[in-house]
Amino acid sequence: MRRKYIVGNWKMNGHITSLHEAQAIEKAAHAHPGVDVALCPPFTLVMAMAKLCPQLGVGGQDCHTLDKGAFTGSVSADMLVDCGAKLAIVGHSERREYSHESNEMVRNKASAALGAGLDVIICVGEPLSVREAGDAETYVLGQVAQSLPMALLHAPKRVAIAYEPIWAIGTGLTASTDEIAAMHGAIRGALGSAANDVRILYGGSVTPDNAAEILATSDVDGALVGGASLSAAKFVPIIAAGEGASNT
Ligand code: PEP
């Protein structure tokens, strides 16, 4: 049985003054013990949030492939662990696009995260042009095949895949539940012996209004939430929807 996993990605948002939102979210997580809840703030807040909210999984939004070295501006998985992180997101489409991250880089980052003891969320998802051409499944399964590390086979419970159609991220558009079920089923089918343990999350304009329906969709084990994770007022109902979907 896979527990529902609700993860917030604050992207480049949030200051010390935003930590009260994380505290309110932690309180809600405590009130909904049937779901796993995590928040990934900017690196600058990881340590403070991890200290303030010990019952939340606090994570990074990226990590380097290596432990240390001359990589100005980068943060290693080991450094994330050092400041209290429990997980890292890798391969978000914004990093694939703006930082030109290849599937190979994403795979190496995922290996580094697992090696350092972090859980990992590996993001995949197709652009609109690919969906419109009817090639979404081939494209996403290609990303899955090339972005997943071999180490996954030894630790499938520590790995989640986030299916995030790029055209749905931050746009207010969501994939239909039929599209989500079809893609999640295809991803699950590609996971071989890890299929029962790896959680597959949906991401892309998840809100309090659509969360219950999405989280009840077959093969959806949780959600990766951007905009709606910035405030407890929006994120807490999504956590509650996760628990509701776990109980059905
Ligand atoms: C994301 O950035 O991972 C995301 C899904 O964003 P949003 O929920 O804002 O679409």
Side-chain angles (χ1 to χ4, degrees):
M1 180 70 183
R2 295 178 297 274
R3 284 167 59 83
K4 290 275 195 264
Y5 193 20
I6 308 295
V7 184
N9 170 16
W10 279 14
K11 311 194 187 192
M12 197 170 74
N13 296 290
H15 296 86
I16 295 288
T17 51
S18 320
L19 288 173
H20 67 98
E21 297 288 353
Q23 282 181 295
I25 289 165
E26 185 191 40
K27 211 169 143 196
H30 189 62
H32 295 285
V35 285
D36 295 334
V37 180
L39 269 186
C40 298
F43 287 135
T44 50
L45 292 180
V46 168
M47 189 156 136
M49 193 184 285
K51 277 202 172 134
L52 198 63
C53 306
Q55 294 185 48
L56 276 184
V58 175
Q61 299 169 12
D62 179 44
C63 66
H64 199 274
T65 56
L66 301 175
D67 272 1
K68 60 180 178 175
F71 302 101
T72 303
S74 295
V75 170
S76 72
D78 179 58
M79 290 167 179
L80 281 171
V81 172
D82 195 36
C83 56
K86 298 281 190 277
L87 70 144
I89 297 170
V90 297
H92 192 282
S93 60
E94 288 153 12
R95 293 205 60 85
R96 288 178 185 263
E97 180 177 357
Y98 305 132
S99 300
H100 311 291
E101 293 190 1
S102 64
N103 287 321
E104 186 187 5
M105 280 171 76
V106 172
R107 186 173 71 239
N108 291 337
K109 286 177 178 216
S111 290
L114 288 172
L118 295 170
D119 291 353
V120 68
I121 298 173
I122 302 166
C123 301
V124 295
E126 80 286 357
L128 186 59
S129 56
V130 170
R131 166 126 331 239
E132 285 176 345
D135 295 331
E137 193 174 304
T138 309
Y139 183 94
V140 168
L141 292 187
Q143 285 183 316
V144 168
Q146 293 172 52
S147 304
L148 262 54
M150 282 304 287
L152 146 80
L153 294 174
H154 305 296
K157 292 193 168 140
R158 292 172 48 209
V159 176
I161 295 173
Y163 168 57
E164 301 202 301
I166 295 171
W167 47 272
I169 295 179
T171 58
L173 301 172
T174 47
S176 70
T177 49
D178 282 352
E179 287 168 332
I180 296 171
M183 188 63 83
H184 281 224
I187 294 171
R188 177 104 42 225
L191 290 175
S193 62
N196 278 336
D197 292 322
V198 171
R199 290 188 282 194
I200 307 177
L201 317 182
Y202 171 78
S205 297
V206 176
T207 66
D209 292 337
N210 61 25
E213 192 186 13
I214 290 171
L215 289 165
T217 301
S218 84
D219 275 311
V220 174
D221 301 315
L224 180 56
V225 184
S229 70
L230 291 171
S231 73
K234 289 195 176 154
F235 198 49
V236 170
I238 299 175
I239 295 170
E243 185 148 88
S246 308
N247 294 334
T248 53

